[in-house]
Amino acid sequence: YHIESAVFTHTMMVCKQAENASYEVRIAALLHDIGKPSTRKVNPKNGRVSFFNHDAVSAFMALEIMNHLYLELTDDQKSHIFNLIALHTQIYKLTNKQLSEIGDVELVTNLIELGKADHGGRFHTAGEAVIPTIEEVFPELMSGVSSVKRSAQEKEVIVLVGLPNGGKSTYRNGKDSFIVSRDDCILAEAMLRDTIPYNESDYNNLWDKADQKNVDRLLQDRFKESKKWNNVIVDMTHMSKKSRRRSLSYYDSDYKKTCVVFLPDLLSICERNSKRKGKVIDNDIIQKMIRSFYPPTNAEFDEIVYIL
């Protein structure tokens, strides 16, 4: 539901507002609300329509579209547009300090531009939205004060972020790092219960039978053991800030904190999911994970890498 009659009408109005913006902002304007139809809910008590976390759903849906060759987008542009879409509602919610913690001046600049187009591309029944300027978010740009960079650390923890079947396990294979993985703890818990020998086709069965409290204890032990190593990879989905904060809480400032985000399009993930034996993730679970997603920021990590 939109006052403008439909999401499509609103989208065209936003595109009109953004017609002189950068290429990335124009693509984001076109795709920023494509997740609304699939997230539409009507409150039976008052008839109100909501689109909870449509921004994250829109961002993941946009990945497949951005792969079309005629758009001529580089991987850096795709990840930039992905983040613009995933964060586009936050421009109205976050304080200037919180926006500054995103840490990417170009991203925040384009986010402000997209926010203005989004707000301008609708009929309003209330007052103007308060959208800050880039100088208000990053006052150091005006003062000439550069941000302080942290010295290089000898230790590193790499936190993997992404949906199941996104390539996380392939990435970690062959690396000389200590691995922390909840899936590995499920296997260990099964061995402690002396169940059937593990293989890939047993995973769903092991998950169903696992005592999750025991798995939690094993995972905690694994985190503690990892601190004896200089290089650690934490292999879980980490879609929300809360889940990443929980994993990072084990590592102090001696560790460089790196985030690797895996962004294959949803079609590729579904194809991989259908071909796996014994570890098929229900589509409803994948959708729930998508709706919990919040892009990693420089407030959380020293470095963020995207793999598309």
Side-chain angles (χ1 to χ4, degrees), residues 251-290:
Y251 307 98
D252 56 26
S253 58
D254 289 342
Y255 284 85
K256 175 185 177 183
K257 297 175 177 66
T258 300
C259 180
V260 180
V261 187
F262 296 81
L263 294 178
D265 61 63
L266 291 178
L267 180 61
S268 298
I269 286 177
C270 289
E271 288 178 347
R272 294 174 191 172
N273 195 33
S274 65
K275 292 177 181 178
R276 295 186 75 168
K277 296 181 179 179
K279 194 177 179 181
V280 178
I281 309 298
D282 189 84
N283 185 59
D284 288 342
I285 295 176
I286 292 177
Q287 290 300 320
K288 186 176 181 180
M289 288 180 180
I290 290 173

Side-chain angles (χ1 to χ4, degrees), residues 78-90:
K78 291 175 187 176
S79 62
H80 186 83
I81 294 167
F82 174 89
N83 281 325
L84 278 177
I85 297 171
L87 289 167
H88 80 267
T89 62
Q90 299 301 312

Side-chain angles (χ1 to χ4, degrees), residues 9 24 26 51 58 81 165 172 222 238 264 267 278 294:
T9 304
E24 291 84 356
R26 299 203 310 270
F51 307 96
S58 298
I81 294 167
N165 302 303
R172 83 183 208 187
R222 194 73 178 162
H238 288 126
L267 180 61
Y294 191 91

Side-chain angles (χ1 to χ4, degrees), residues 33-46:
D33 275 352
I34 60 173
K36 277 192 169 178
S38 64
T39 59
R40 185 180 189 273
K41 300 292 182 185
V42 181
N43 187 326
K45 294 181 179 179
N46 57 23

Side-chain angles (χ1 to χ4, degrees), residues 4-126:
E4 301 81 37
S5 79
V7 175
F8 179 77
T9 304
H10 162 68
T11 299
M12 294 300 97
M13 293 171 69
V14 175
C15 288
K16 180 65 177 175
Q17 292 287 323
E19 63 182 351
N20 295 318
S22 67
Y23 187 51
E24 291 84 356
V25 171
R26 299 203 310 270
I27 298 295
L30 181 64
L31 303 177
H32 76 288
D33 275 352
I34 60 173
K36 277 192 169 178
S38 64
T39 59
R40 185 180 189 273
K41 300 292 182 185
V42 181
N43 187 326
K45 294 181 179 179
N46 57 23
R48 285 179 175 249
V49 178
S50 65
F51 307 96
F52 177 70
N53 228 350
H54 75 276
D55 37 11
V57 175
S58 298
F60 278 93
M61 290 177 66
L63 288 169
E64 184 182 349
I65 297 170
M66 288 192 290
N67 283 334
H68 285 296
L69 294 177
Y70 62 77
L71 291 177
E72 298 182 340
L73 294 169
T74 65
D75 283 353
D76 284 346
Q77 286 177 306
K78 291 175 187 176
S79 62
H80 186 83
I81 294 167
F82 174 89
N83 281 325
L84 278 177
I85 297 171
L87 289 167
H88 80 267
T89 62
Q90 299 301 312
I91 197 67
Y92 311 111
K93 302 174 183 177
L94 301 182
T95 64
N96 289 350
K97 182 178 184 301
Q98 289 170 326
L99 285 169
S100 71
E101 289 174 349
I102 292 175
D104 186 329
V105 176
E106 183 183 6
L107 178 61
V108 176
T109 299
N110 285 342
L111 196 59
I112 289 170
E113 195 167 17
L114 178 60
K116 289 178 179 177
D118 192 12
H119 184 72
R122 64 176 71 242
F123 301 128
H124 295 284
T125 57

Side-chain angles (χ1 to χ4, degrees), residues 10 42-43 63-64 86 121 129 145-146 151 155 160 196 198 222 230 235 261-262 291:
H10 162 68
V42 181
N43 187 326
L63 288 169
E64 184 182 349
V145 177
S146 59
S151 57
K155 299 180 179 181
L160 307 186
I196 55 176
Y198 172 81
R222 194 73 178 162
N230 286 344
D235 179 11
V261 187
F262 296 81
R291 295 186 190 201

